């Protein structure tokens, strides 16, 4: 006979992480003195799963169901901090944005040097200078795919979106009365977002469309900006990029109509990391 259950008690008892497995995990997932980046390849220690089970934002992102294809990026500043999880091929063109947090428009990467890197988790000393991080990445690339890749900063001109004016929100349509629409004509996979400032919104748009933005807008106090965006069109990790001839003018026109700002594409000089391969004479 089934007995009535006490509603104040959990139906399933919460499982505590295994301390021995967690200890092993933290011993491996740490940076030693002088280490800037570490790549940890599978098979992963069991403590990794114990760690992920305690992180709701990872378990809710389908990461735990992705098997060995699911990789994690951690920051290290004396202790381990989970930044994000991702799936897909680990190629060099994804490393600047996903691993180092650098927009890919700050890199010039020839297709023939888009080397494939080993699958695995990444730990980055996030307080270290970018040039030190790239030097450490060069060493990883040389040790794994055995390629002598080099990163060299040079000044070059590139297309830049210059934004001026003062932000004033006007809905694009009755369908989205309280959200800024960040998409062109086609809407494939719409997602919601929210930022605390116009500067942060422009930074995310630039990172998403892979085109830098020069923010020259007038100061304004904004509590929150809610927006909706097309993941395929505006995503730093999507395999597709915006069509600068077809989609970009429509996107910028939509943003101008909603924000009261002016968007203009100009050629500007910038410091860019050029990716080359050193000739070892072999």
């Amino acid at each position: 006979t089934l007995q009535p259950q006490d509603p104040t008690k959990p139906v399933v008892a919460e499982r505590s992480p295994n301390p021995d497995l967690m200890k092993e995990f933290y011993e491996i997932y740490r940076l030693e003195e002088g280490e800037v980046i570490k790549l940890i390849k599978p098979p992963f220690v069991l403590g990794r799963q114990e760690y992920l089970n305690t992180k709701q934002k990872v378990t809710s992102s389908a990461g735990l169901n992705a098997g060995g294809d699911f990789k994690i990026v951690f920051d290290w500043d004396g202790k381990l901090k989970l930044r994000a999880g991702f799936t897909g091929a680990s190629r060099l063109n994804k490393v600047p944005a996903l691993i180092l947090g650098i927009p890919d428009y700050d890199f010039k990467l020839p297709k023939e040097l888009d080397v494939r890197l080993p699958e695995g988790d990444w730990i980055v000393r996030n307080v270290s200078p970018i040039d030190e991080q790239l030097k450490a990445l060069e060493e990883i690339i040389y040790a794994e795919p055995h390629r002598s890749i080099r990163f060299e900063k040079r000044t070059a001109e590139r297309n830049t979106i210059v934004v001026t004016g003062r932000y004033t929100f006007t809905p694009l349509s009755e369908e989205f009365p309280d959200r800024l629409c960040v998409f062109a004509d086609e809407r494939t996979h719409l997602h919601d977002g929210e930022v605390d400032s116009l500067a942060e919104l422009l930074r995310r748009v630039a990172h998403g469309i892979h085109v830098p933005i020069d923010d020259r807008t007038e100061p304004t106090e904004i509590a929150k900006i809610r927006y909706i965006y097309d993941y395929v069109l505006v995503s730093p990790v999507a395999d597709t990029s915006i069509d600068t001839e077809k989609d970009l003018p429509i996107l910028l026109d939509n943003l101008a109509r909603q924000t009261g700002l002016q968007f203009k594409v100009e050629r500007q000089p910038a410091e860019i990391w050029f990716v080359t391969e050193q000739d070892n004479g072999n």
Side-chain angles (χ1 to χ4, degrees):
T1 304
L2 295 177
Q3 299 298 319
Q5 299 295 309
D6 186 348
T8 63
K9 295 182 179 180
V11 177
V12 179
E14 293 185 5
R15 184 179 68 85
S16 300
N18 185 309
D20 293 331
L21 295 180
M22 291 298 291
K23 180 181 179 182
E24 181 185 28
F25 168 78
Y26 280 115
E27 287 177 351
I28 294 175
Y29 280 71
R30 61 173 287 114
L31 293 184
E32 302 298 337
E33 188 70 28
E35 275 190 305
V36 178
I37 300 178
K38 180 187 284 187
L39 171 62
I40 300 178
K41 298 182 291 185
F44 301 117
V45 295
L46 295 178
R48 178 182 186 266
Q49 188 71 29
E50 299 283 286
Y51 177 88
L52 292 180
N53 285 336
T54 67
K55 301 296 178 181
Q56 292 298 321
K57 65 179 178 180
V58 173
T59 57
S60 63
S61 67
L64 295 180
N65 299 321
D69 188 45
F70 180 60
K71 284 86 69 172
I72 312 171
V73 183
F74 297 91
D75 287 322
W76 176 268
D77 60 358
K79 59 182 179 181
L80 196 67
K81 295 181 180 179
L82 185 148
R83 189 200 306 167
F86 67 100
T87 59
S90 296
R91 305 200 69 91
L92 182 56
N93 70 336
K94 299 294 185 183
V95 170
L98 285 176
I99 313 303
L100 304 183
I102 309 170
D104 60 0
Y105 51 70
D106 282 341
F107 280 76
K108 188 72 172 180
L109 174 64
K111 290 184 178 180
E112 63 271 17
L113 298 184
D114 187 19
V115 298
R116 179 163 188 147
L117 301 174
E119 304 296 328
D121 296 340
W122 295 78
I123 307 171
V124 180
R125 190 180 296 273
N126 59 338
V127 295
S128 59
I130 293 300
D131 57 344
E132 291 184 10
Q133 295 180 19
L134 292 174
K135 184 66 176 178
L137 180 59
E138 290 177 358
E139 296 173 358
I140 290 175
I141 296 172
Y142 187 76
E144 296 295 346
H146 308 296
R147 301 283 294 270
S148 297
I149 299 295
R150 293 292 179 265
F151 301 94
E152 179 185 352
K153 181 173 280 190
R154 307 176 197 165
T155 301
E157 283 197 344
R158 65 184 178 190
N159 285 339
T160 303
I161 301 171
V162 179
V163 187
T164 57
R166 183 177 180 83
Y167 178 85
T168 304
F169 176 65
T170 302
L172 184 66
S173 67
E174 295 180 355
E175 184 180 2
F176 304 106
D178 60 346
R179 284 174 290 177
L180 196 67
C181 298
V182 186
F183 50 69
D185 279 344
E186 298 183 6
R187 308 170 191 181
T188 311
H189 296 87
L190 295 182
H191 293 263
D192 286 312
E194 185 176 271
V195 292
D196 295 326
S197 67
L198 176 61
E200 175 62 15
L201 174 70
L202 295 177
R203 187 194 70 79
R204 293 192 184 186
V205 170
H207 207 169
I209 64 176
H210 311 289
V211 181
I213 289 181
D214 182 0
D215 182 5
R216 302 181 188 176
T217 59
E218 299 175 20
T220 181
E221 294 184 5
I222 302 173
K224 298 281 185 182
I225 298 179
R226 296 182 61 201
Y227 63 96
I228 189 166
Y229 66 100
D230 187 338
Y231 178 83
V232 175
L233 181 68
V234 187
S235 170
V237 297
D239 292 329
T240 58
S241 58
I242 191 168
D243 186 330
T244 55
E245 298 294 329
K246 173 180 175 289
D247 293 324
L248 185 58
I250 300 174
L251 172 65
L252 296 183
D253 182 64
N254 283 343
L255 290 175
R257 291 162 57 191
Q258 297 172 87
T259 63
L261 302 173
Q262 293 78 52
F263 295 80
K264 183 180 180 181
V265 179
E266 297 180 356
R267 297 287 290 176
Q268 290 187 355
E271 294 292 303
I272 300 174
W273 291 99
F274 280 76
V275 184
T276 61
E277 185 164 23
Q278 181 175 305
D279 184 3
N280 292 325
N282 294 328

PDB file of all heavy atoms in Angstrom, residues 151-163:
ATOM      1  N   PHE A 151      51.637  34.664 -34.391  1.00  0.00           N
ATOM      2  CA  PHE A 151      50.692  35.785 -34.343  1.00  0.00           C
ATOM      3  C   PHE A 151      51.499  37.078 -34.286  1.00  0.00           C
ATOM      4  O   PHE A 151      52.296  37.283 -33.372  1.00  0.00           O
ATOM      5  CB  PHE A 151      49.779  35.676 -33.122  1.00  0.00           C
ATOM      6  CG  PHE A 151      48.981  34.402 -33.079  1.00  0.00           C
ATOM      7  CD1 PHE A 151      49.439  33.301 -32.376  1.00  0.00           C
ATOM      8  CD2 PHE A 151      47.772  34.301 -33.760  1.00  0.00           C
ATOM      9  CE1 PHE A 151      48.707  32.129 -32.336  1.00  0.00           C
ATOM     10  CE2 PHE A 151      47.037  33.131 -33.731  1.00  0.00           C
ATOM     11  CZ  PHE A 151      47.507  32.038 -33.021  1.00  0.00           C
ATOM     12  N   GLU A 152      51.278  37.948 -35.269  1.00  0.00           N
ATOM     13  CA  GLU A 152      52.028  39.196 -35.368  1.00  0.00           C
ATOM     14  C   GLU A 152      51.060  40.367 -35.533  1.00  0.00           C
ATOM     15  O   GLU A 152      50.219  40.358 -36.425  1.00  0.00           O
ATOM     16  CB  GLU A 152      52.986  39.133 -36.558  1.00  0.00           C
ATOM     17  CG  GLU A 152      53.799  40.400 -36.759  1.00  0.00           C
ATOM     18  CD  GLU A 152      54.648  40.341 -38.022  1.00  0.00           C
ATOM     19  OE1 GLU A 152      54.719  39.262 -38.641  1.00  0.00           O
ATOM     20  OE2 GLU A 152      55.219  41.388 -38.381  1.00  0.00           O
ATOM     21  N   LYS A 153      51.191  41.367 -34.677  1.00  0.00           N
ATOM     22  CA  LYS A 153      50.292  42.522 -34.741  1.00  0.00           C
ATOM     23  C   LYS A 153      50.823  43.539 -35.747  1.00  0.00           C
ATOM     24  O   LYS A 153      51.994  43.923 -35.717  1.00  0.00           O
ATOM     25  CB  LYS A 153      50.150  43.171 -33.367  1.00  0.00           C
ATOM     26  CG  LYS A 153      49.202  44.361 -33.343  1.00  0.00           C
ATOM     27  CD  LYS A 153      48.958  44.876 -31.943  1.00  0.00           C
ATOM     28  CE  LYS A 153      47.940  44.035 -31.207  1.00  0.00           C
ATOM     29  NZ  LYS A 153      47.521  44.659 -29.929  1.00  0.00           N
ATOM     30  N   ARG A 154      49.910  43.960 -36.661  1.00  0.00           N
ATOM     31  CA  ARG A 154      50.244  44.972 -37.656  1.00  0.00           C
ATOM     32  C   ARG A 154      49.081  45.954 -37.779  1.00  0.00           C
ATOM     33  O   ARG A 154      47.945  45.641 -37.423  1.00  0.00           O
ATOM     34  CB  ARG A 154      50.492  44.346 -39.032  1.00  0.00           C
ATOM     35  CG  ARG A 154      51.502  43.222 -39.079  1.00  0.00           C
ATOM     36  CD  ARG A 154      51.557  42.635 -40.485  1.00  0.00           C
ATOM     37  NE  ARG A 154      52.186  41.331 -40.520  1.00  0.00           N
ATOM     38  CZ  ARG A 154      52.103  40.490 -41.545  1.00  0.00           C
ATOM     39  NH1 ARG A 154      51.399  40.851 -42.633  1.00  0.00           N
ATOM     40  NH2 ARG A 154      52.704  39.314 -41.515  1.00  0.00           N
ATOM     41  N   THR A 155      49.385  47.119 -38.327  1.00  0.00           N
ATOM     42  CA  THR A 155      48.346  48.111 -38.595  1.00  0.00           C
ATOM     43  C   THR A 155      47.819  47.905 -40.011  1.00  0.00           C
ATOM     44  O   THR A 155      48.593  47.805 -40.959  1.00  0.00           O
ATOM     45  CB  THR A 155      48.890  49.536 -38.455  1.00  0.00           C
ATOM     46  OG1 THR A 155      49.398  49.726 -37.133  1.00  0.00           O
ATOM     47  CG2 THR A 155      47.795  50.562 -38.716  1.00  0.00           C
ATOM     48  N   ALA A 156      46.490  47.813 -40.119  1.00  0.00           N
ATOM     49  CA  ALA A 156      45.863  47.619 -41.436  1.00  0.00           C
ATOM     50  C   ALA A 156      44.491  48.281 -41.424  1.00  0.00           C
ATOM     51  O   ALA A 156      43.900  48.506 -40.364  1.00  0.00           O
ATOM     52  CB  ALA A 156      45.737  46.134 -41.755  1.00  0.00           C
ATOM     53  N   GLU A 157      43.983  48.590 -42.594  1.00  0.00           N
ATOM     54  CA  GLU A 157      42.645  49.180 -42.701  1.00  0.00           C
ATOM     55  C   GLU A 157      41.589  48.088 -42.784  1.00  0.00           C
ATOM     56  O   GLU A 157      41.826  47.014 -43.345  1.00  0.00           O
ATOM     57  CB  GLU A 157      42.550  50.084 -43.938  1.00  0.00           C
ATOM     58  CG  GLU A 157      43.212  51.430 -43.771  1.00  0.00           C
ATOM     59  CD  GLU A 157      42.748  52.419 -44.821  1.00  0.00           C
ATOM     60  OE1 GLU A 157      42.171  51.984 -45.835  1.00  0.00           O
ATOM     61  OE2 GLU A 157      42.943  53.634 -44.622  1.00  0.00           O
ATOM     62  N   ARG A 158      40.421  48.378 -42.207  1.00  0.00           N
ATOM     63  CA  ARG A 158      39.308  47.443 -42.274  1.00  0.00           C
ATOM     64  C   ARG A 158      38.003  48.217 -42.198  1.00  0.00           C
ATOM     65  O   ARG A 158      37.975  49.370 -41.739  1.00  0.00           O
ATOM     66  CB  ARG A 158      39.379  46.441 -41.117  1.00  0.00           C
ATOM     67  CG  ARG A 158      39.190  47.086 -39.751  1.00  0.00           C
ATOM     68  CD  ARG A 158      39.356  46.095 -38.638  1.00  0.00           C
ATOM     69  NE  ARG A 158      39.210  46.737 -37.338  1.00  0.00           N
ATOM     70  CZ  ARG A 158      39.493  46.150 -36.173  1.00  0.00           C
ATOM     71  NH1 ARG A 158      39.967  44.909 -36.160  1.00  0.00           N
ATOM     72  NH2 ARG A 158      39.327  46.788 -35.037  1.00  0.00           N
ATOM     73  N   ASN A 159      36.925  47.578 -42.645  1.00  0.00           N
ATOM     74  CA  ASN A 159      35.605  48.188 -42.528  1.00  0.00           C
ATOM     75  C   ASN A 159      35.205  48.282 -41.064  1.00  0.00           C
ATOM     76  O   ASN A 159      35.354  47.314 -40.298  1.00  0.00           O
ATOM     77  CB  ASN A 159      34.565  47.375 -43.288  1.00  0.00           C
ATOM     78  CG  ASN A 159      34.662  47.569 -44.782  1.00  0.00           C
ATOM     79  OD1 ASN A 159      35.213  48.572 -45.255  1.00  0.00           O
ATOM     80  ND2 ASN A 159      34.131  46.635 -45.548  1.00  0.00           N
ATOM     81  N   THR A 160      34.699  49.446 -40.680  1.00  0.00           N
ATOM     82  CA  THR A 160      34.274  49.691 -39.302  1.00  0.00           C
ATOM     83  C   THR A 160      32.939  50.422 -39.328  1.00  0.00           C
ATOM     84  O   THR A 160      32.741  51.330 -40.143  1.00  0.00           O
ATOM     85  CB  THR A 160      35.309  50.534 -38.544  1.00  0.00           C
ATOM     86  OG1 THR A 160      36.576  49.867 -38.573  1.00  0.00           O
ATOM     87  CG2 THR A 160      34.888  50.762 -37.102  1.00  0.00           C
ATOM     88  N   ILE A 161      32.023  50.022 -38.451  1.00  0.00           N
ATOM     89  CA  ILE A 161      30.729  50.695 -38.350  1.00  0.00           C
ATOM     90  C   ILE A 161      30.852  51.824 -37.328  1.00  0.00           C
ATOM     91  O   ILE A 161      31.111  51.573 -36.143  1.00  0.00           O
ATOM     92  CB  ILE A 161      29.623  49.711 -37.917  1.00  0.00           C
ATOM     93  CG1 ILE A 161      29.516  48.567 -38.927  1.00  0.00           C
ATOM     94  CG2 ILE A 161      28.286  50.432 -37.778  1.00  0.00           C
ATOM     95  CD1 ILE A 161      28.603  47.437 -38.466  1.00  0.00           C
ATOM     96  N   VAL A 162      30.688  53.056 -37.781  1.00  0.00           N
ATOM     97  CA  VAL A 162      30.744  54.225 -36.893  1.00  0.00           C
ATOM     98  C   VAL A 162      29.317  54.574 -36.477  1.00  0.00           C
ATOM     99  O   VAL A 162      28.446  54.783 -37.330  1.00  0.00           O
ATOM    100  CB  VAL A 162      31.405  55.422 -37.595  1.00  0.00           C
ATOM    101  CG1 VAL A 162      31.433  56.628 -36.663  1.00  0.00           C
ATOM    102  CG2 VAL A 162      32.819  55.052 -38.054  1.00  0.00           C
ATOM    103  N   VAL A 163      29.084  54.626 -35.160  1.00  0.00           N
ATOM    104  CA  VAL A 163      27.741  54.888 -34.627  1.00  0.00           C
ATOM    105  C   VAL A 163      27.748  56.228 -33.898  1.00  0.00           C
ATOM    106  O   VAL A 163      28.569  56.446 -33.002  1.00  0.00           O
ATOM    107  CB  VAL A 163      27.292  53.774 -33.667  1.00  0.00           C
ATOM    108  CG1 VAL A 163      25.833  53.987 -33.255  1.00  0.00           C
ATOM    109  CG2 VAL A 163      27.461  52.402 -34.309  1.00  0.00           C
TER     110      VAL A 163
END
